[in-house]
Amino acid sequence: SLSTRRLGDCHQKLELGIGLDMPNAVGDRDMASLSCVSRGASARASSTWKHDTRKFGPQHALDKQSDAAWKSAPSSEGNDSSAYYEVYFQRPAFVHEMRLQFQGGFVGMDCTVYRKKQQHAEGNGDDGEEWEEFDELYLDPVDSNDIQNFPAELDSDSIETREPCTSLRIEFERSTDFYGRIVIYSFEVWGAEVNK
């Protein structure tokens, strides 16, 4: 069930080693959930179903202790802007994997991942820095309720030259839903924090 798969917070998953099978140069013991609310992560999104952030806001996709979800509003016909979901780590980190769980039938498709390298003064919001495409992280979700893993494609050259980021943004060009709605039950970003 959904609650069984999402049991525990980011620290328990790390201690138990659940799902830490990322192909990269960093050892599993160094991996952490960068998107864990208890560690200060926050989220923003392009829209929320019926403008009800208390029930359907983007923070629900980061909450491991809840069966709540982020639910976007339907897309407007003729609206050129894409739906998006943003997560802010509150600290610089190297991203190694993204794990998403959509509601089948409401899956965001044709995704592009972006990142910011600067820390935001108030935790999230517009700090003037432009989003840049995160070429090493490619998302191609399928229409399913299952948790889907998307590892960053890091070769030996990119591992040595990569830069940390403080936030990620996914833009969805379309949805599997006829009305353009997207539902995300779980949004996890795994990686390694930069040692200060």
Side-chain angles (χ1 to χ4, degrees), residues 78-147:
N79 184 358
D80 290 335
S81 63
S82 303
Y84 65 84
Y85 186 94
E86 300 172 355
V87 62
Y88 298 86
F89 313 137
Q90 314 310 334
R91 59 204 174 280
F94 297 112
V95 174
H96 294 285
E97 184 178 68
M98 195 178 276
R99 301 174 190 172
L100 302 176
Q101 183 177 26
F102 294 93
Q103 179 177 329
F106 298 88
V107 176
M109 305 295 283
D110 299 338
C111 307
T112 305
V113 181
Y114 297 90
R115 65 180 165 193
K116 281 191 180 182
K117 297 176 185 171
Q118 297 296 316
Q119 182 69 31
H120 301 281
E122 297 179 13
N124 63 17
D126 185 13
D127 61 0
E129 184 187 2
E130 294 291 321
W131 290 98
E132 68 175 41
E133 193 163 344
F134 192 175
D135 295 324
E136 295 83 14
L137 193 55
Y138 176 73
L139 270 64
D140 187 21
V142 295
D143 191 357
S144 168
N145 292 327
D146 295 332
I147 295 174

Side-chain angles (χ1 to χ4, degrees), residues 39-40 42 69 105-106 153 167 169 189:
R39 300 183 71 200
S42 61
F106 298 88
E153 298 174 1
S167 51
R169 172 185 176 120
V189 180

